[in-house]
């Protein structure tokens, strides 16, 4: 199998042109310099008097000419203009998976063809990327030779033990490409690059490189630089580059941006795979103390940690984020007795050693960022994640294999020993992840849905052959956790990458059984394969760029068995199996994109319209330009469409939605282009229009009229209440309520799947499917004090609670899931209490001077949104603000029914006290019956009048309302309290 490389992709050509056009006006030329003879070569020793010529790049353009070229390119590509030429660093931003490596390698050949440049150094941050670049050159070599008429070129990986290759780099007239890791060049006191060598004629290798004035290409500069003043950047500058070209999807320092294809562009143009999230949500847990460290922070000398933990809120427990300090008491912070004697210890914000000490009964532990204490059994969750990944993989195999597409899945794990261990003799044995994988794979192999995939397959051996681990290897061949901070670690990584990097085509063939790849941190950058369709993170995603890096391993569009790229989201969907909810994943991914790329979702930049096309009378097309773009931006700000920071306002969304956006006369010809840009930035978010918010005035003729005064005088008085109930009946009701409550299940895991859409307005997640819950086994459950907890929730005596629990015969459910049983039992008892209390409630009117004053209709402001308002003729307000279609219909019927003389939608300040919470009835209505009798109603509108269709708590409040208005009906001041779905219901007895 051979990869087919497309040479006509417009976005890649645009990136190549952008770099090459920097040197427009440069003549084809090169520089020559003298190189000392290679004294290690016998022939050269005989001719030592003869000097050897080195060949380097030569730049003839002045800085002003470079800056003019740069401005033209930035205008063409719609990126922020550089004020001045502050350095020779130029930035190309390309989303992972869009062919960044192809672009900069082809740029080398194009620069040679146009300007004669021959010396190029590619600097990468890790061994993984170095191996990846080397493999890319190897695969693309024939493609470039065909494309550039066989132009000869040589490439090599710099090896400090073999500096002689640098001499050939300096003296060869051909295109020379040196690939080197920053670790091999950034330590001047250690690395051989900075030491004299006979193999380079007595020169230091770095001196030869400097003399060539190489074009330095930096792959992933955010990992190479080591910060603005880091050693990596110093090492780059020490090579005396003619210029530095920086390629990444996640730049930290932008320098002079010449081309940008960001995450949004790539997604909208379908240049990468569509992303979907399968998130594992644990339900019915909270039976053990749980603390997860999310981050640590030091601000103005105050050190804090952000943790995730379980908090009591009302009758329920919720997983929430808290900010804590040293010595904080978690029992007090969470409101849960299960955290008794749990305290926060030392919090360290030191770089490379960030942790939080957690102290608990019988011990203490230091949590690193992303680590957790407690929660469900880890391997139970990991098993379900592995199982889900296999299922997603096999489902895609059934669909894609007929198209010649081999499906791969990638696991990121927390420790190598969880996948591969060694016995005392050094023989590798399976770790827990490998064992779980094979068990679950064999289970699926026997499943009826997947029989077509396993015809004539020996299931016993197939499970072992389809997975493998790729980790750093020590000199003895043992797998170890990846660490490239020293030469030994880099050597270990080198041994591992040779296995996987150099077999990319073989891995894509149906003839190779390997389909599931396990890795530590080794493959987080530098390795990707176009046919990775599932990524499962069996470790916590903790660092700032981890989601972007993890996604990047599977974003490339897939290829078939002929090496041909296939396009379209119908075949290109990357499934990420995660423990975060998809909403949280989308939110965090958006934050990472904003931080990595500088994209500000929902923000209009001053230069946003610079690339808008303008045609003159002769049909010539030119860009609008930065100055005109700024004028247009100022107009949008002056009209209130954006604020001073460029953030899009609701007024612009409304104008775009209603197609009422008007631009100044000089921009009318570009209206469609400007509108399209703004529409992408504004997004499709549903927001309430602030301009549609209206203050509603009372209707004076109704408010001051005698009919409304009659109605108000009957309902305005306040009451107090007393309750009576039989204790024995209450206990029996509580027992029955718990006995008939829903069954209690064990802790469960449920998968929810959602598509992610990345647009200029942000990252949006749309749920597409839910799975049936899966039971998770829990051990070492901390048993809470059941009686005390229920006593706090229900205010019943301990003796009563013991009797209720014993006679309900549901205590086995407590053993199954303590926290869920406590919540259910507490809710059932409180429900029984509410029913008992409201059944025996009695209201009594307070004194004549205790009432709601009619003047409150004028003093208390009523507001609403136009889309939730209907005009009123007989009402006390000019408009009725409704909450449902039933209320809207009822208001319109009140206005049109001739028997209705006056009415009021009762405001929120009109409240009836109840033992549950205050109750706000819906309507007060005066009806004239048969032209003589007047009836005064308080009405509760319900779309369904059957009691069992109304929520139990709402029903209890309605009972209280009935009793309240009955207490007000004394003598001739009768008030009828009714439930109604339509006005005609008032006339039924």
């Amino acid at each position: 199998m051979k990869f087919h490389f497309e040479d006509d992709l417009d976005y890649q050509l645009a990136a190549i042109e952008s770099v090459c056009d920097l040197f427009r006006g440069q003549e084809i030329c090169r520089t020559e310099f003298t190189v000392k003879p290679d004294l290690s070569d016998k022939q050269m020793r005989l001719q030592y008097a003869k000097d050897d010529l080195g060949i380097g790049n030569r730049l003839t353009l002045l800085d002003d000419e470079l800056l003019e070229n740069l401005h033209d390119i930035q205008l063409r590509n719609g990126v922020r203009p550089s004020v001045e030429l502050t350095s020779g660093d130029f930035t190309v931003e390309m989303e992972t998976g869009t062919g960044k490596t192809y672009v900069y390698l082809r740029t080398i050949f194009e620069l040679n063809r146009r300007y004669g440049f021959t010396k190029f150094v590619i600097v990468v941050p890790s061994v993984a990327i170095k191996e990846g670049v080397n493999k890319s050159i190897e695969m693309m070599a024939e493609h470039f030779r065909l494309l550039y008429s066989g132009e000869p070129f040589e490439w090599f990986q710099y090896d400090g033990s073999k500096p002689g290759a640098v001499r050939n780099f300096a003296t060869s007239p051909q295109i020379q490409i040196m690939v080197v890791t920053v670790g091999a060049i950034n330590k001047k006191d250690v690395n051989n690059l900075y030491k004299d060598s006979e193999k380079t004629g007595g020169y230091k290798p770095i001196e030869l490189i400097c003399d060539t004035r190489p074009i330095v290409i930096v792959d992933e500069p955010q990992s190479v630089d080591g910060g603005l003043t880091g050693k990596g950047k110093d090492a780059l500058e020490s090579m005396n580059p003619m210029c530095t070209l920086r390629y990444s999807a996640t730049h930290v320092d932008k320098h002079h941006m010449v081309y940008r294809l960001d995450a949004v562009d790539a997604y909208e143009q379908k240049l990468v795979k569509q992303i979907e999230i399968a998130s594992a949500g644990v339900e019915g847990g909270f039976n053990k103390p749980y603390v997860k460290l999310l981050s640590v922070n030091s601000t103005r000398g105050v050190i804090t940690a952000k943790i995730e933990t379980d908090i009591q809120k009302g009758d329920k427990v919720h997983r929430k984020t808290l900010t804590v300090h040293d010595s904080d008491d978690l029992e007090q912070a969470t409101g849960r007795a299960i955290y008794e004697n749990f305290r926060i210890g030392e919090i360290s914000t030191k770089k490379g050693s960030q942790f939080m000490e957690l102290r608990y009964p019988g011990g203490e532990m230091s949590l690193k960022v992303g680590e957790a204490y407690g929660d469900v059994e880890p391997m139970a969750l990991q098993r379900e994640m592995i199982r889900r990944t296999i299922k997603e993989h096999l489902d895609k195999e059934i669909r894609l294999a007929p198209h010649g597409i081999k499906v791969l899945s990638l696991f990121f794990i927390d420790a190598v020993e969880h996948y591969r261990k060694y016995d005392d003799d050094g023989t590798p044995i399976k770790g827990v992840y490998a064992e779980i994988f094979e068990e679950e794979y064999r289970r699926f192999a026997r499943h009826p849905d997947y029989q077509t995939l396993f015809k004539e397959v020996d299931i016993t051996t197939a499970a072992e052959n389809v997975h493998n681990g790729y980790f750093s290897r020590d000199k003895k061949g043992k797998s170890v956790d990846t660490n490239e901070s020293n030469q030994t670690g880099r050597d270990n990584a080198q041994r591992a990458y040779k296995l996987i990097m150099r077999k990319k085509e073989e891995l894509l063939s149906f003839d190779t059984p390997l389909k599931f790849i396990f890795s530590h941190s080794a493959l987080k950058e530098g390795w990707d394969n176009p046919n990775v369709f599932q990524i499962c993170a069996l470790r916590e995603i903790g660092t700032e760029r981890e989601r972007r890096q993890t996604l990047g391993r599977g974003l490339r569009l897939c290829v078939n068995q002929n090496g041909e790229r296939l396009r379209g989201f119908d075949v290109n969907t990357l499934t990420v199996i995660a423990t975060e909810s998809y909403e949280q994943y989308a939110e965090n991914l958006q934050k990472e994109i904003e931080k990595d790329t500088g994209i500000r979702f929902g923000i209009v930049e001053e230069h946003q319209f610079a690339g808008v096309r303008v045609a003159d009378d002769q049909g010539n097309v030119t860009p609008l330009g930065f100055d005109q773009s700024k004028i247009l931006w100022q107009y949008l700000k002056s009209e209130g469409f954006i604020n001073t920071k460029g953030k899009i306002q609701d007024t612009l969304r409304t104008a775009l939605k209603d197609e009422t956006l008007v631009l100044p006369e000089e921009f009318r010809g570009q209206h469609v282009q400007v509108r399209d840009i703004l529409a992408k930035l504004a997004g499709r978010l549903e927001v309430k229009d602030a301009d549609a918010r209206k203050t509603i005035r009372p209707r004076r003729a109704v408010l001051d009229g005698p009919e409304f005064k009659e109605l108000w005088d009957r309902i305005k008085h306040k009451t107090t209440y007393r309750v009576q109930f039989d204790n024995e009946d209450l206990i029996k009701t509580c027992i029955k309520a718990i006995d008939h409550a829903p069954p209690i299940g064990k802790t469960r895991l449920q998968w929810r799947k959602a598509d992610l859409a990345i647009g200029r307005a942000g990252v949006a997640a749309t749920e597409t499917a839910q799975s049936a819950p899966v039971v998770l086994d829990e051990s070492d459950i901390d048993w809470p004090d059941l009686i005390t907890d229920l006593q706090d929730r229900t205010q019943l005596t301990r003796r009563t609670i013991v009797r209720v629990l014993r006679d309900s015969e549901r205590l086995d459910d407590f053993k199954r899931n303590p926290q869920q049983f406590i919540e259910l039992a507490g809710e059932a008892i409180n429900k029984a209490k509410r029913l008992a209390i409201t059944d025996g409630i009695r209201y009594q009117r307070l004194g004549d001077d205790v009432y709601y004053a009619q003047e409150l209709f004028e003093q208390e402001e009523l507001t609403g949104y136009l889309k939730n308002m209907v005009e009123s003729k007989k009402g006390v307000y000019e408009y009725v603000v409704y909450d449902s279609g039933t209320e809207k219909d009822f208001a319109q019927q009140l206005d049109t029914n001739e028997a209705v003389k006056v009415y009021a939608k009762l405001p929120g300040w009109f409240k009836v006290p109840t033992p549950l919470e205050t109750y706000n009835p819906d309507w007060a209505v005066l009806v004239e019956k048969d032209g003589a009798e007047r009836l005064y109603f308080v009405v509760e509108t319900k779309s369904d009048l059957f009691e069992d269709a109304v929520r139990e708590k709402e029903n209890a409040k309605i009972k209280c309302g009935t009793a309240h208005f009955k207490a007000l009906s004394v003598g001739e001041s009768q008030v009828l309290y009714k439930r109604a779905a339509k006005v005609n219901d008032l006339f039924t007895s």
Side-chain angles (χ1 to χ4, degrees):
M1 175 185 175
K2 285 188 177 181
F3 280 101
H4 290 256
F5 298 100
E6 300 165 284
D7 60 11
D8 58 351
L9 298 179
D10 54 0
Y11 68 93
Q12 292 183 346
L13 294 176
I16 295 165
E17 286 290 322
S18 297
V19 172
C20 291
D21 283 353
L22 278 170
F23 307 104
R24 190 176 58 241
Q26 161 81 19
E27 61 187 55
I28 296 179
C29 60
R30 63 187 187 183
T31 186
E32 295 180 347
F33 58 92
T34 301
V35 178
K36 291 181 180 177
D38 183 353
L39 300 180
S40 64
D41 184 275
K42 181 177 180 181
Q43 188 64 29
M44 288 301 298
R45 283 201 302 272
L46 296 175
Q47 301 179 16
Y48 64 91
K50 180 180 178 182
D51 287 334
D52 197 4
L53 287 180
I55 300 171
N57 300 325
R58 182 181 173 193
L59 182 66
T60 60
L61 294 180
L62 301 175
D63 283 357
D64 289 347
E65 294 172 304
L66 273 174
L67 183 61
E68 182 180 351
N69 289 343
L70 176 61
H71 280 167
D72 289 345
I73 296 163
Q74 291 172 328
L75 179 61
R76 183 172 77 209
N77 293 328
V79 298
R80 187 187 297 277
S82 300
V83 178
E84 57 183 337
L85 199 66
T86 56
S87 72
D89 292 52
F90 302 96
T91 297
V92 175
E93 183 176 314
M94 293 186 70
E95 176 63 357
T96 302
T98 57
K100 163 174 62 74
T101 306
Y102 176 89
V103 165
Y104 69 63
L105 290 177
R106 183 167 171 183
T107 299
I108 289 174
F109 289 90
E110 197 63 31
L111 288 171
N112 174 263
R113 184 180 68 82
R114 297 187 189 189
Y115 311 115
F117 301 142
T118 58
K119 303 302 163 73
F120 301 88
V121 177
I122 301 174
V123 183
V124 299
S126 66
V127 174
I129 296 181
K130 184 178 77 168
E131 288 291 338
V133 172
N134 188 65
K135 180 62 179 178
S136 294
I137 298 174
E138 182 182 300
M139 291 191 302
M140 297 174 192
E142 184 179 350
H143 170 78
F144 288 137
R145 288 190 179 101
L146 291 172
L147 205 57
Y148 289 93
S149 305
E151 180 68 34
F153 69 97
E154 295 176 338
W155 83 93
F156 68 101
Q157 297 185 64
Y158 172 76
D159 184 340
S161 64
K162 301 175 183 178
V166 176
R167 181 183 181 85
N168 183 63
F169 174 85
T171 58
S172 172
Q174 300 175 354
I175 297 174
Q176 289 289 316
I177 304 171
M178 181 173 83
V179 186
V180 61
T181 63
V182 68
I185 64 173
N186 66 359
K187 297 178 181 177
K188 297 183 179 181
D189 55 338
V190 175
N191 291 332
N192 290 336
L193 190 73
Y194 302 94
K195 297 178 180 178
D196 295 337
S197 172
E198 288 187 356
K199 295 180 180 179
T200 54
Y203 275 107
K204 298 173 183 177
I206 188 64
E207 293 174 342
L208 292 178
I209 294 171
C210 286
D211 286 343
T212 66
R213 296 287 322 271
I215 294 176
V216 174
I217 295 171
V218 188
D219 196 331
E220 307 295 349
Q222 73 282 354
S223 299
V224 167
D225 286 351
L228 271 174
T229 58
K231 293 181 179 179
K233 196 161 188 345
D234 288 343
L236 297 178
E237 292 171 354
S238 70
M239 287 193 253
N240 189 32
M242 190 192 87
C243 70
T244 303
L245 307 177
R246 308 164 71 83
Y247 291 80
S248 178
T250 55
H251 290 280
V252 173
D253 305 309
K254 304 295 183 181
H255 297 278
H256 302 302
M257 181 78 73
V258 296
Y259 181 77
R260 188 175 201 183
L261 180 77
D262 59 35
V264 178
D265 297 325
Y267 180 85
E268 290 180 341
Q269 297 176 40
K270 297 185 178 181
L271 304 177
V272 292
K273 288 193 183 87
Q274 177 181 251
I275 304 165
E276 67 176 10
I277 307 298
S279 62
V282 177
E283 301 174 354
F286 311 121
N287 293 313
K288 295 189 289 187
Y290 167 75
V291 179
K292 178 181 178 181
L293 180 61
L294 301 178
S295 64
V296 294
N297 185 48
S298 178
T299 304
R300 297 176 182 175
V302 178
I303 296 177
T304 60
K306 190 172 287 186
I307 64 170
E308 185 179 67
T309 190
D310 300 331
I311 297 174
Q312 186 79 41
K313 189 174 182 181
D315 293 335
K316 301 287 185 181
V317 175
H318 301 272
R319 189 150 286 180
K320 295 289 184 182
T321 299
L322 284 181
T323 298
V324 293
H325 301 75
D326 185 1
S327 301
D328 276 2
D329 184 336
L330 289 187
E331 182 182 11
Q332 182 179 356
T334 63
R336 300 190 69 205
I338 203 171
Y339 287 94
E340 184 179 3
N341 293 323
F342 274 72
R343 289 186 175 275
I344 303 299
E346 180 187 355
I347 301 171
S348 171
T349 59
K350 185 179 178 181
K351 189 174 181 180
S353 180
Q354 297 179 330
F355 67 87
M356 181 192 77
E357 189 179 55
L358 179 67
R359 298 170 184 166
Y360 52 86
E364 60 184 42
M365 68 180 297
S366 295
L367 295 176
K368 296 179 181 178
V369 174
E371 289 184 341
Y373 171 93
D375 206 9
V376 298
E377 290 300 305
M379 286 307 158
L381 181 58
Q382 317 296 35
R383 177 179 289 275
E384 292 303 325
M385 295 181 73
I386 291 171
R387 177 179 173 79
R388 180 70 183 200
T389 305
I390 296 171
K391 183 181 186 305
E392 294 285 347
H393 180 109
L394 297 178
D395 287 341
K396 284 204 180 83
E397 268 198 16
I398 290 174
R399 188 163 55 88
L400 299 180
H403 299 284
I405 302 170
K406 181 180 177 181
V407 177
L408 300 176
S409 293
L410 179 58
F411 294 91
F412 287 108
I413 68 175
D414 45 0
V416 170
E417 64 180 15
H418 286 158
Y419 179 81
R420 181 175 293 144
K421 297 187 291 187
Y422 297 88
D423 61 18
D424 294 338
D425 297 328
T427 304
I429 56 177
K430 295 170 187 172
V432 61
Y433 289 159
E435 291 176 345
I436 290 174
F437 175 86
E438 292 184 10
E439 290 169 10
E440 296 299 333
Y441 190 81
R442 291 190 182 101
R443 185 176 299 170
F444 276 109
R446 292 187 289 268
H447 196 286
D449 290 351
Y450 304 107
Q451 288 308 296
T452 57
L453 297 175
F454 293 95
K455 290 179 180 178
E456 301 177 2
V457 173
D458 183 353
I459 297 175
T460 57
T461 58
E464 296 182 356
N465 295 333
V466 297
H467 71 102
N468 206 344
Y470 288 88
F471 315 107
S472 293
R473 294 169 181 262
D474 62 19
K475 292 181 179 179
K476 296 180 180 179
K478 289 184 178 180
S479 298
V480 292
D481 291 345
T482 303
N483 178 9
E484 294 188 31
S485 61
N486 54 50
Q487 189 58 47
T488 299
R490 288 192 290 272
D491 290 342
N492 291 342
Q494 183 91 23
R495 281 184 280 270
Y497 298 135
K498 285 181 179 179
L499 291 175
I500 190 167
M501 297 293 186
R502 298 181 182 179
K503 295 184 179 181
K504 192 174 277 192
E505 302 98 328
E506 185 178 326
L507 192 56
L508 287 168
S509 169
F510 284 143
D511 295 333
T512 302
L514 178 61
K515 304 173 185 177
F516 297 87
I517 298 166
F518 288 78
S519 176
H520 184 231
S521 58
L523 303 183
K524 73 179 181 180
E525 59 181 17
W527 182 90
D528 48 47
N529 191 293
N531 287 20
V532 170
F533 285 92
Q534 286 73 230
I535 292 178
C536 176
L538 293 171
R539 55 175 169 77
E540 293 294 338
I541 295 179
T543 60
E544 294 170 353
R545 296 188 179 88
E546 198 116 22
R547 283 166 199 81
R548 294 260 287 153
Q549 286 182 341
T550 302
L551 284 174
R553 302 316 104 219
L555 282 180
R556 288 188 183 278
L557 299 180
C558 65
V559 299
N560 60 19
Q561 293 299 288
N562 297 321
E564 299 163 339
R565 192 82 59 187
L566 302 180
R567 303 188 181 279
F569 285 167
D570 53 333
V571 294
N572 287 289
T573 298
L574 173 66
T575 304
V576 179
I577 291 84
T579 53
E580 286 179 295
S581 70
Y582 63 76
E583 298 95 339
Q584 188 178 16
Y585 193 96
E587 179 184 346
N588 289 330
L589 179 61
Q590 177 168 321
K591 289 177 181 177
E592 286 186 15
I593 292 174
E594 288 175 327
K595 189 165 187 175
D596 285 347
T597 67
I599 293 175
R600 297 193 294 161
F601 291 104
I603 300 290
V604 182
E605 306 277 4
E606 287 186 342
H607 65 276
Q608 202 89 50
F609 313 105
V612 167
R613 299 180 303 280
V614 180
D616 60 20
D617 295 337
Q618 286 74 42
N620 299 316
V621 178
T622 56
L624 184 64
F626 294 118
D627 293 338
Q628 290 295 99
S629 177
K630 190 170 183 178
I631 291 171
L632 183 52
W633 187 90
Q634 292 288 352
Y635 167 78
L636 294 173
K637 188 180 77 168
S638 67
E639 292 295 308
F641 290 138
I642 58 177
N643 66 14
T644 55
K645 295 182 179 180
K647 185 174 179 60
I648 289 175
Q649 304 298 293
D650 295 341
T651 49
L652 178 57
R653 292 189 175 93
T654 302
L656 292 168
K657 182 178 179 182
D658 298 341
E659 298 184 359
T660 56
L661 177 65
V662 178
L663 299 180
E665 182 64 36
E666 63 266 34
F667 301 111
R668 296 284 169 83
Q670 290 75 50
H671 182 275
V672 173
Q673 295 180 70
V674 172
R675 180 203 63 197
D676 289 347
I677 291 171
L678 292 174
K680 283 186 177 182
L681 292 166
R684 303 182 300 275
L685 299 177
E686 285 294 326
V687 294
K688 290 183 176 178
D689 183 1
D691 289 348
R693 186 174 177 86
K694 184 178 179 65
T695 300
I696 303 168
R697 297 192 303 269
R699 191 178 290 281
R700 301 298 320 181
V702 174
L703 184 62
D704 297 338
E707 292 173 327
F708 181 71
K709 187 177 187 305
E710 287 179 36
L711 174 62
W712 192 250
D713 284 344
R714 280 167 169 76
I715 69 172
K716 69 183 182 182
H717 292 281
K718 297 182 180 181
T719 61
T720 185
Y721 64 83
R722 292 179 180 178
V723 294
Q724 293 177 334
F725 57 87
D726 184 276
N727 281 340
E728 186 62 28
D729 287 343
L730 173 60
I731 292 172
K732 290 178 180 178
T733 305
C734 290
I735 294 170
K736 184 178 179 181
I738 295 178
D739 185 40
H740 288 78
I744 299 282
K746 290 186 176 182
T747 300
R748 302 169 303 282
L749 178 144
Q750 184 172 37
W751 291 99
R752 299 163 67 209
K753 186 181 280 190
D755 288 340
L756 292 191
I758 303 173
R760 291 289 165 197
V763 180
T766 305
E767 185 167 316
T768 57
Q770 285 189 9
S771 70
V774 178
V775 173
L776 295 176
D777 290 327
E778 285 188 289
S779 60
D780 301 326
I781 290 176
D782 292 334
W783 302 102
D785 185 340
L786 173 60
I787 308 302
T788 301
D789 207 328
L790 284 178
Q791 189 178 18
D792 292 340
R793 290 169 182 260
T794 65
Q795 286 74 54
L796 296 183
T797 65
R798 295 178 70 85
R799 177 178 296 179
T800 299
I801 291 171
V802 169
R803 180 182 166 189
V804 169
L805 294 175
R806 182 191 64 212
D807 293 354
S808 70
E809 299 182 348
R810 292 286 300 269
L811 281 172
D812 283 344
D813 287 343
F814 175 67
K815 299 175 184 176
R816 185 177 293 113
N817 195 321
Q819 183 61 38
Q820 192 174 1
F821 178 81
I822 289 171
E823 291 180 1
L824 183 139
E827 187 176 342
I829 291 172
N830 284 328
K831 176 181 178 181
K833 280 178 58 184
R834 285 196 294 268
L835 292 174
I837 289 171
T838 55
D839 282 345
I841 197 164
R842 297 291 181 270
Y843 279 84
Q844 182 179 349
R845 175 178 153 174
L846 298 172
D848 290 342
D849 57 348
V850 183
Y851 59 86
Y852 287 108
Q854 190 171 327
E855 288 76 17
L856 287 171
F857 282 97
E858 299 176 89
Q859 297 170 4
E860 300 289 336
E861 183 179 85
L862 178 66
T863 62
Y865 289 93
L866 290 175
K867 68 177 185 177
N868 281 55
M869 292 162 53
V870 61
E871 190 173 1
S872 166
K873 296 184 177 66
K874 299 178 184 177
V876 71
Y877 287 107
E878 293 177 343
Y879 292 88
V880 171
V881 179
Y882 58 84
D883 297 323
S884 66
T886 300
E887 285 191 354
K888 177 184 178 183
D889 294 342
F890 196 82
Q892 292 172 330
Q893 291 169 22
L894 287 170
D895 258 330
T896 57
N897 193 300
E898 295 178 355
V900 176
K901 298 305 175 184
V902 67
Y903 70 90
K905 177 75 161 57
L906 291 170
W909 48 260
F910 186 90
K911 296 174 181 177
V912 175
T914 81
L916 311 175
E917 56 189 46
T918 55
Y919 164 55
N920 173 223
D922 288 335
W923 310 89
V925 184
L926 190 157
V927 172
E928 190 172 83
K929 191 175 183 182
D930 301 327
E933 183 183 6
R934 287 191 168 185
L935 302 176
Y936 303 87
F937 290 98
V938 172
V939 184
E940 185 71 25
T941 42
K942 295 296 176 190
S943 59
D944 193 322
L945 299 184
F946 288 98
E947 264 194 28
D948 58 0
V950 182
R951 287 181 302 163
E952 172 269 325
K953 190 173 181 180
E954 189 70 19
N955 220 350
K957 287 197 293 182
I958 290 172
K959 285 183 180 180
C960 294
T962 303
H964 165 84
F965 289 107
K966 184 177 181 181
L968 298 185
S969 297
V970 180
E972 295 182 358
S973 298
Q974 293 293 312
V975 180
L976 303 175
Y977 182 82
K978 293 201 71 169
R979 281 189 291 180
K982 52 187 183 296
V983 169
N984 285 342
D985 293 331
L986 301 181
F987 303 105
T988 58
S989 56

